[in-house]
Amino acid sequence: MTGGQVVVDEPLPLGAGGRGAADAVRFLRDCQSQALTVRWVPDDDVLPFDTGLLHHLPPPAPRTAPPGGSDGAAVWRSRYAYGLLYHRRGPDFVTVMDRRDPSASARFTIDQPSLLGAFLTVQEPTALDALDAPHREAVSLLADERLVLVTQGWAVALPPRLNRWPVPCTSV
């Protein structure tokens, strides 16, 4: 890492899903939290989940599109912007702003104890089997709202906790 930029030498393991993908998403999310520029490539051109969930995270570096295929990373790069999805924490609640889809922007306040507990738990990649039934149900609800990535039995929260405000203070 130099001057606010992180260069990842090895491909991030998103293609296999599971724990590796959850760790990679957490890494990208945490870099986003610190407003770091990240240069990285995925380990596979085809990911086992909707990459639209990740358009708020630093996109992969350009590389040659697969023959006869489309470069999904190019779409990711074209849609990426800092602050498309983030969360802010208050006492006993979290507010999430989701602008990944401009036609359906949303603001969520998570204050119900099991939802809040699940959201805070999956800040770190977590095996679904390690969660009790109420937290598994809460993770499922959060995943339905596209706030948690669930991949092959692992879950990780998607919204970064930003340290730099993404919009001018006059826009709030």
Side-chain angles (χ1 to χ4, degrees):
M1 179 175 90
T2 59
Q5 181 173 6
V6 177
V7 178
V8 181
D9 293 331
E10 298 291 323
L12 291 182
L14 292 173
R19 172 71 189 255
D23 282 336
V25 168
R26 181 195 46 88
F27 168 75
L28 293 171
R29 186 198 68 211
D30 290 351
C31 287
Q32 183 78 345
S33 290
Q34 301 299 319
L36 297 172
T37 303
V38 182
R39 183 165 177 82
W40 66 280
V41 295
D43 62 341
D44 197 340
D45 290 324
V46 179
L47 301 182
F49 48 82
D50 174 14
T51 58
L53 292 170
L54 307 181
H55 287 174
H56 66 289
L57 298 175
R63 63 186 205 185
T64 306
S70 63
D71 184 6
V75 173
W76 188 342
R77 283 189 295 279
S78 72
R79 293 186 181 166
Y80 168 76
Y82 181 78
L84 289 179
L85 176 70
Y86 61 90
H87 80 271
R88 309 280 291 178
R89 292 186 192 170
D92 301 323
F93 72 93
V94 168
T95 300
V96 178
M97 176 61 76
D98 186 355
R99 299 180 305 123
R100 290 173 291 180
D101 179 356
S103 66
S105 294
R107 178 175 291 177
F108 301 91
T109 299
I110 303 170
D111 57 2
Q112 198 276 337
S114 68
L115 283 173
L116 181 60
F119 181 81
L120 296 175
T121 297
V122 298
Q123 292 300 304
E124 293 295 322
T126 305
L128 293 176
D129 292 343
L131 299 172
D132 60 19
H135 282 105
R136 274 194 307 274
E137 183 179 344
V139 164
S140 177
L141 292 171
L142 292 167
D144 288 347
E145 294 297 336
R146 301 170 48 92
L147 301 178
V148 168
L149 172 68
V150 175
T151 174
Q152 296 180 1
W154 285 83
V156 63
L158 292 170
R161 184 177 185 188
L162 297 186
N163 291 323
R164 295 186 184 177
W165 195 241
V167 295
C169 62
T170 56
S171 299
V172 177

